[in-house]
Every structure is written in structure tokens, then in C-alpha cells.
Amino acid sequence: MSTLSYSAIISERSMIGREPPDLRGVQAKFEVLDLSFWYTSTQALHKVNLTIPQRSVVALIGPSGCGKSTFLRCLNRMNDLIEGTRHTGTVSLDGDDIHGRNINLVNLRRRVGMVFQKSNPFPKSIFENVIFGPRIAGLKDKTQLYEIAERSLRRAALWDEVKDRMGDSALNLSGGQQQRLCIARALATDPEVILLDEPASALDPASTARIEDLIFELKRLYTIVIVTHNMQQAARVSDLTAFFFQGRLVEAGPTDQLYTRPHVKQTEDYITGRFG
């Protein structure tokens, strides 16, 4: 696919009112400085520097094994669950180092929610799936729980499809509905950031389009970081794009610029399919 083809995607975004915004001067939600990361003796990230503006969509692209998902999991310290990992550098959320002594991990992961590549609804009802987080946090008021469930399902564009079967098993939903349910479950904890690890990779084109529409709506309220192997998808939904290769951040910038006028030839070679 040529850069001219990506120009057409960017132009189409503008025609429907979804052009990437000018984010200069927008406050940073995450500031990542010289982040390096190891799985035991294997270095997965090398001195990554990246600013993620608030209420934007940042796409992480690059070939398999390049460090995209590792970087994503660094943003809410999910990698801490893997034995033998370590890091250097800093990751700051609203100016606070997320590895600082006073950081509460439960609160961090509430503020920075995550949706995985494969939808993973619990073997519970639709309602119980959505309110799982608030219930675990100690909320017992049924009226409040129902309000949270409805609000979250509406924001995940799923309410109209499930409002009459909230007691049904979540496992009976279609693949696309299950993924939107997982997004609703993440939203129920009132996060500030949503991390999406290839959220549409296993979905059909119609369900993928629903997820992409949803991402555009959600960025009005949340900061979104998405890992995707779908180059066209990144061009359609993101405001900023970061290209990773072999654990290094090769280039990052506004999506329209990176896809049509990349500064680094390696970036152009990747997005046009010459390698990767």
C-alpha cells in the first residue's frame, strides 16, 4: 500500500469530520523517558521516549515481537506480574512516576484500564460482567450498580443490543459484542486511560468497524492507546502513531504526517509493505 493510499484514508477521515486534531500544546497524560525493559536477560525495549497527550488516540505499530505490547503493558505495570522483569527509565502519569513508592497498583490499574486481544468475558451474566470491578471495590448499592452498568454499556455502544437480556450469559454474545462488553467492563471502573491490545484482530469487518467507531467516540472522554497490526486501522482511528522495530521507537508523530510524509525511510518502508 502506497503513501498515496494512506493519503486517501486521511482525506476520507477529514470528509466525515474525523481528521486527526492538532495536539500541539495539549497536556501530556503519559510522559515516557528513556524506558528500557527486560524479560530476565532479554531486552525488549531500548530507551523509548514518547509523550501521550490526554484525550487522544495513539496507535503503536510495528512487526510482531517489536515491543508494542510490552510497551503497552508498561503503562499500567501489567508486566510486574511476570517474574524476572525489570526496567530503567520513567513512566509518568499526570506528572507522577507510576513506579514511585506511593503508587497504589490497584488504583493505577483502575485509572489505566486494559482490553486484551481476545475477548475474555467472565462466565457470568452480562450485568455481572460489567459491574465486576465496582462490586470488587466494595460497591453494593443495586441502584448505583445498575446505573454504572447502563452508563458503561451505552459508552461501549452495546446497551441497545443487550438491555433486555442483562441476565443472560455473556458467553452467548457474538465475538464483536463480547469485545465491546469487555470495553464496557473496563469503563465501569471509571478509568482515565484505556489500553487496547489488538482489540479487533479476531473480529469480522462489520464488528471491526463498530470498534473503530467506538474508539472515535470514546476519545472525547478518555486517552486511548491501541496496539494494532492493521495499518489501515491505525490510519483511520489514531491521532498519533508510534512505529516500533526491534524494541526501539523508530519514529512517532501525527498520524497524517507519519503515514504520508515519514521522516525516517525505515518507517516508509514498513507502512508501504516493503518489509515487516
Side-chain angles (χ1 to χ4, degrees):
M1 191 168 184
S2 68
T3 55
L4 287 175
S5 300
Y6 289 118
S7 295
I9 294 175
I10 301 299
S11 296
E12 183 180 358
R13 284 186 63 171
S14 298
M15 289 173 62
I16 61 176
R18 294 186 177 182
E19 63 273 19
D22 184 353
L23 294 171
R24 288 176 294 185
V26 175
Q27 181 177 339
K29 192 65 178 175
F30 275 106
E31 191 76 45
V32 180
L33 298 174
D34 288 335
L35 177 65
S36 295
F37 188 87
W38 290 262
Y39 296 101
T40 58
S41 61
T42 301
Q43 188 167 0
L45 295 173
H46 301 259
K47 290 188 174 295
V48 174
N49 292 278
L50 184 64
T51 298
I52 297 173
Q54 65 180 359
R55 294 187 182 178
S56 65
V57 180
V58 177
L60 311 180
I61 64 171
S64 296
C66 69
K68 304 184 300 294
S69 292
T70 294
F71 178 82
L72 190 75
R73 293 193 299 266
C74 283
L75 299 179
N76 68 349
R77 292 182 56 180
M78 286 293 288
N79 289 321
D80 288 14
L81 301 174
I82 303 172
E83 187 175 354
T85 59
R86 62 186 177 91
H87 82 283
T88 59
T90 59
V91 180
S92 298
L93 174 62
D94 289 334
D96 295 323
D97 183 354
I98 67 170
H99 294 90
R101 290 183 178 179
N102 297 325
I103 290 296
N104 182 304
L105 265 182
V106 173
N107 186 52
L108 172 66
R109 291 171 185 156
R110 180 198 63 76
R111 295 175 64 192
V112 186
M114 189 162 191
V115 177
F116 298 92
Q117 177 178 0
K118 188 179 185 302
S119 58
N120 57 342
F122 303 141
K124 299 174 179 287
S125 70
I126 294 169
F127 175 76
E128 288 295 335
N129 264 269
V130 179
I131 55 88
F132 182 82
R135 195 188 288 283
I136 289 295
L139 185 61
K140 298 179 180 179
D141 185 274
K142 291 184 178 179
T143 300
Q144 286 183 279
L145 289 171
Y146 190 86
E147 288 173 351
I148 290 171
E150 179 176 348
R151 181 176 68 247
S152 302
L153 288 165
R154 285 188 183 278
R155 288 181 176 174
L158 190 58
W159 172 251
D160 289 339
E161 298 168 46
V162 303
K163 62 183 178 182
D164 296 323
R165 48 184 179 136
M166 296 285 279
D168 290 0
S169 171
L171 302 180
N172 293 333
L173 297 174
S174 70
Q177 288 174 325
Q178 288 186 9
Q179 192 64 294
R180 281 182 283 145
L181 178 68
C182 292
I183 292 173
R185 190 172 67 201
L187 297 179
T189 61
D190 197 25
E192 301 163 27
V193 181
I194 305 170
L195 308 179
L196 302 173
D197 194 355
E198 296 190 66
S201 63
L203 303 181
D204 60 78
S207 296
T208 296
R210 294 294 300 274
I211 295 292
E212 291 180 5
D213 290 342
L214 177 58
I215 289 171
F216 181 78
E217 294 300 320
L218 289 175
K219 78 170 184 176
R220 303 174 192 272
L221 299 171
Y222 309 96
T223 302
I224 299 172
V225 187
I226 177 173
V227 167
T228 180
H229 279 103
N230 186 323
M231 303 296 293
Q232 293 87 352
Q233 180 177 77
R236 286 192 297 264
V237 304
S238 68
D239 303 321
L240 299 174
T241 299
F243 168 49
F244 285 77
F245 184 71
Q246 294 183 347
R248 290 176 168 83
L249 179 59
V250 176
E251 183 173 358
T255 293
D256 52 351
Q257 174 261 307
L258 187 135
Y259 270 88
T260 61
R261 304 178 307 280
H263 296 312
V264 180
K265 187 177 186 301
Q266 189 178 21
T267 306
E268 181 178 356
D269 288 346
Y270 181 74
I271 66 174
T272 56
R274 294 191 180 98
F275 81 92

